[in-house]
Amino acid sequence: MSKELTYAEVSAHSAKKDLYLVIHDKVYDSSSFVDEHPGGEEVLLDVGGQDATEAFEDVGHSDEAREILEGLLIGTLKRQEGDPKPKIAPVTASASSTSTSSGLGLGLYAIILLGGAAAFGAYKYVQSQEGKA
């Protein structure tokens, strides 16, 4: 994987039999996988010779798909001035787990707060009914 390719070199490989993709600044030769791709060849050809990071991540590929992708790795992208900017930031385990856990914590806090308010309301209602009887 010591091969470094420029964006111009990658963009020259956009045909079905010669198809390179860039995902998270890594270059993959997906020529051998075009016919096997579960989503059809069109989705690969649409992003052939380009940065396909956003398209790849938007679909939510499985761990198995990511393993297949690693088998297609041929090098890294050497970004140069004037190249298109990446549309999506690299995914890191710490960033994704932090956002998930903070979202869960906030939701859990809201549920506890609403449950407490409902319990207090029920308690006050029962107290007022006992006072009338």
Side-chain angles (χ1 to χ4, degrees):
M1 188 192 96
S2 61
K3 192 173 186 181
E4 276 193 332
L5 293 105
T6 65
Y7 198 84
E9 291 171 321
V10 170
S11 64
H13 301 271
S14 59
K16 182 178 177 179
K17 300 289 183 196
D18 182 27
L19 190 66
Y20 287 8
L21 303 173
V22 175
I23 299 174
H24 295 297
D25 286 349
K26 293 182 181 178
V27 181
Y28 301 93
D29 182 353
S30 58
S31 308
S32 63
F33 189 66
V34 173
D35 292 328
E36 300 172 31
H37 188 261
E41 67 183 43
E42 295 82 20
V43 294
L44 292 179
L45 293 173
D46 285 345
V47 293
Q50 303 174 43
D51 190 329
T53 304
E54 185 176 22
F56 182 81
E57 293 299 342
D58 282 350
V59 172
H61 284 87
S62 66
D63 290 339
E64 182 181 355
R66 292 176 190 277
E67 287 175 19
I68 291 170
L69 189 65
E70 287 305 312
L72 303 174
L73 183 64
I74 59 167
T76 58
L77 182 67
K78 181 179 179 183
R79 289 201 179 268
Q80 298 176 334
E81 197 169 318
D83 286 349
K85 301 282 184 214
K87 294 179 184 169
I88 229 173
V91 175
T92 59
S94 62
S96 62
S97 65
T98 303
S99 63
T100 304
S101 63
S102 66
L104 179 62
L106 183 60
L108 187 58
Y109 180 75
I111 290 171
I112 291 172
L113 185 62
L114 290 174
F120 180 74
Y123 171 76
K124 284 301 208 177
Y125 176 77
V126 169
Q127 290 295 332
S128 69
Q129 293 301 317
E130 287 180 357
K132 290 182 182 178

